[in-house]
Amino acid sequence: MGWSIGDHGTYYIIKCIVEDPEHPHLNHSKADGVIGVDVNYNHIAFSNVNGQGQLLSSSCLYFSLEGKRSGQITKILEAEAIRLVDIAVQRNKPIVLEALDTTLSKSAGRYRNRKQNRRMSMFAYKKMQDRIHSRAAKMGVAVFEVNPAFTSQIGK
């Protein structure tokens, strides 16, 4: 627990910072399989994989960020993260995410067409990743990050 006091001239802001303990029944076991996730700018593709790596089912959660403000995008991504983690809770499996770094791909696309550039700049992968981690911690679901090589097969 920690405290922070901010002096703003005519008033003070006092904040209490509390660290949430890890969920006591967090499922780290991959023995029964995992929920593999591929995050894209307009959908989240996920697959239900058994313990031997065989595909049991796959589906997509679609959303649209076109024409939305930052706050709206955050709420949309939160809602999709909740849906995804609920699926993992129902199947009692951990989530496996790609460990992407989109900073280079966003800056490298200066000469693509306007629509592609807009989609890349709206692609809030880090925000989506944070929402999934946060919701999964609340619900007792483990999240593993893996090398993104060859993980986009289900998203196509």
Side-chain angles (χ1 to χ4, degrees), residues 27-46:
N27 182 8
H28 288 284
S29 174
K30 297 178 192 172
D32 293 334
V34 297
I35 302 295
V37 179
D38 181 28
V39 179
N40 296 291
Y41 73 92
N42 65 347
H43 70 279
I44 300 172
F46 66 92

Side-chain angles (χ1 to χ4, degrees), residues 4 14 28 32 35 39-40 65 116 126 130 139 146 153:
S4 170
I14 301 171
H28 288 284
D32 293 334
I35 302 295
V39 179
N40 296 291
L65 304 179
Q116 275 184 317
K126 182 67 176 154
D130 291 344
M139 299 302 290
V146 296
Q153 304 300 316

Side-chain angles (χ1 to χ4, degrees), residues 4-15:
S4 170
I5 300 174
D7 184 2
H8 293 274
T10 58
Y11 61 94
Y12 292 93
I13 294 180
I14 301 171
K15 297 177 189 176

Side-chain angles (χ1 to χ4, degrees), residues 61-96:
L61 304 173
Y62 292 97
F63 52 89
S64 176
L65 304 179
E66 302 268 342
K68 303 289 193 283
R69 293 186 312 273
S70 177
Q72 291 172 320
I73 289 172
T74 301
K75 290 297 181 187
I76 290 169
L77 296 180
E78 268 180 18
E80 296 309 316
I82 289 169
R83 286 175 57 192
L84 177 68
V85 172
D86 286 347
I87 290 167
V89 168
Q90 288 170 359
R91 290 170 173 79
N92 195 27
K93 294 183 178 180
I95 295 174
V96 176

